[in-house]
Amino acid sequence: MACWNAAAYVEEALDSLLAQTLQDFQAVCVDDASSDSTPDILRRYAAKDNRIEVVSLSENKGQAHARNVGLAHAKGEYVCMLDSDDWLSPDALQQAVAVLDTHPDTDSVLFQVEEVYADHTRRYPLPDFERMTGKEAFEASLTWTLHGLYMVRADLHRQYPYDETTRAYSDDNTTRMHYLRSREVRQCGGIYYYRQHEASVTHNVSVRRFDHLRANESMRRQMEEADADDRLLSVYERMRWLNLIDTYMFYFNNRKVLSAADRDYGLSEMHRVWGGIETWRIPRSLRLKPGYMPLRPMWWLFRLQEEIYFTLRRYLTRA
């Protein structure tokens, strides 16, 4: 559990751990240099239950780094992540462990997820499956048909620790590499309660939105290092291209809010990624679609296409 200024929520997360029907667990709580009372709360819980361990960082380095510190302290055969503002159903750990114990070839087990909003909850619509291969699960995760809240064998997690390329977005890569390298992926009935915040990075207008492109690049490198097959590389390049177009839409809609320096940075990132994607891997039907055509090697022409495309979309939406 990575914790940063989580005083408002972390007790609920810890209470859900102490209420688990599976008693034999280790909870490593890493305080990422919080400035509120989070460290005091963690120490208070650790003092009353020796299953809870607290590691305090002197400098805030982000969630992925804090999780990797926690992973280095983990001693168990299986590992899962719990965000400090989320919580688990009492049987969540027991259900996931039971699947892993029953199926020796299963490396990753998904929880059921309840997305918790201020005024309602929503069950994440997982497909009805008993077993997927790792490649099938990886491909399903590209569109988040499978979410990223699961338990995994510790050896696999240590082989692929949290990606620290960016503070946001690159943790998705870790999930996808775990799925890709899993022999089997299954699901259990335990529930992960996932609190939704409008103030999160992915909901805010921030220059950090362009980090998604660097996170995608890191994922591509890891796939190559893992000898992913050619078909999956093509599937991922298609997704990278769609993310680039989506990032341009973010730029188009929000450039008046961003500073001049942030706009310049965003354009330079998009330009670099536009030139690096293997567009021959993108399906021809997409490459010929207005708004999605690569138009190499003329960056100015690609930008003109995007400006016209998103201007027309805005006009048609308002009409």
Side-chain angles (χ1 to χ4, degrees):
M1 182 190 296
C3 307
W4 180 73
N5 289 352
Y9 304 109
V10 70
E11 290 185 72
E12 189 171 13
L14 292 168
D15 286 341
S16 79
L17 290 176
L18 298 183
Q20 290 298 303
T21 54
L22 178 75
Q23 295 290 301
D24 184 16
F25 66 85
Q26 171 199 21
V28 183
C29 303
V30 182
D31 177 63
D32 195 16
S34 294
S35 58
D36 66 0
S37 61
T38 297
D40 296 331
I41 296 171
L42 295 178
R43 286 192 289 267
R44 173 161 52 84
Y45 272 79
K48 69 180 182 181
D49 195 311
N50 60 14
R51 293 175 297 178
I52 297 176
E53 300 178 21
V54 180
V55 180
S56 297
L57 304 181
S58 59
E59 180 183 354
N60 180 271
K61 292 188 176 181
Q63 191 174 66
H65 178 76
R67 288 175 180 172
N68 278 334
V69 171
L71 181 62
H73 284 76
K75 302 181 180 71
E77 183 180 354
Y78 310 131
V79 174
C80 70
M81 173 273 293
L82 176 65
D83 275 342
S84 55
D85 54 353
D86 300 335
W87 68 98
L88 297 170
S89 65
D91 63 344
L93 297 183
Q94 185 173 28
Q95 289 236 21
V97 167
V99 173
L100 288 161
D101 283 348
T102 304
H103 302 282
D105 289 335
T106 295
D107 293 312
S108 299
V109 175
L110 281 77
F111 296 108
Q112 303 303 308
V113 170
E114 287 283 341
E115 297 176 333
V116 182
Y117 296 84
D119 57 354
H120 70 284
T121 62
R122 171 183 174 270
R123 176 62 66 98
Y124 196 100
L126 277 179
D128 183 17
F129 73 96
E130 180 179 344
R131 169 192 171 277
M132 284 189 184
T133 65
K135 288 182 180 180
E136 289 170 339
F138 169 83
E139 195 163 344
S141 76
L142 294 181
T143 54
W144 294 121
T145 300
L146 297 189
H147 57 65
L149 298 166
Y150 57 101
M151 184 178 287
V152 62
R153 294 190 186 273
D155 289 345
L156 179 57
H157 205 328
R158 291 191 182 94
Q159 185 179 357
Y160 296 100
Y162 290 104
D163 187 342
E164 298 185 41
T165 302
T166 63
R167 283 192 171 229
Y169 304 110
S170 61
D171 56 345
D172 295 349
N173 298 346
T174 303
T175 294
R176 287 166 173 157
M177 287 307 299
H178 289 169
Y179 291 163
L180 181 61
R181 303 302 287 173
S182 290
R183 293 165 294 175
E184 293 180 350
V185 175
R186 296 178 185 265
Q187 57 183 313
C188 71
I191 301 173
Y192 186 110
Y193 292 93
Y194 182 26
R195 196 186 304 269
Q196 301 294 301
H197 295 286
E198 288 302 317
S200 70
V201 172
T202 52
H203 289 98
N204 278 347
V205 176
S206 166
V207 68
R208 296 276 66 85
R209 175 65 176 77
F210 299 107
D211 287 350
H212 204 176
L213 301 175
R214 285 188 179 260
N216 287 168
E217 287 177 317
S218 176
M219 181 76 246
R220 172 60 195 261
R221 287 192 298 271
Q222 291 179 67
M223 290 177 67
E224 290 175 336
E225 290 166 2
D227 293 324
D229 64 48
D230 197 64
R231 188 189 68 82
L232 282 182
L233 288 173
S234 293
V235 168
Y236 194 72
E237 285 297 81
R238 176 184 181 276
M239 195 200 83
R240 280 220 295 155
W241 185 252
L242 293 175
N243 279 346
L244 173 62
I245 303 301
D246 188 59
T247 302
Y248 200 100
M249 180 175 68
F250 166 83
Y251 168 82
F252 178 87
N253 289 333
N254 298 290
R255 56 186 160 198
K256 292 182 179 179
V257 180
L258 297 169
S259 69
D262 289 348
R263 290 196 299 271
D264 289 345
Y265 171 76
L267 282 172
S268 68
E269 285 292 277
M270 290 188 288
H271 188 186
R272 180 177 55 77
V273 171
W274 169 81
I277 292 176
E278 294 178 328
T279 54
W280 60 270
R281 292 185 180 275
I282 301 170
R284 188 170 182 272
S285 59
L286 184 59
R287 282 186 279 126
L288 297 178
K289 182 178 178 181
Y292 294 81
M293 294 184 285
L295 299 175
R296 297 269 186 80
M298 292 174 285
W299 167 244
W300 68 268
L301 187 57
F302 172 78
R303 281 200 62 194
L304 178 61
Q305 170 191 230
E306 299 309 293
E307 294 293 322
I308 294 171
Y309 177 66
F310 288 117
T311 298
L312 288 173
R313 280 187 53 168
R314 178 180 289 176
Y315 174 77
L316 292 173
T317 301
R318 291 175 178 174

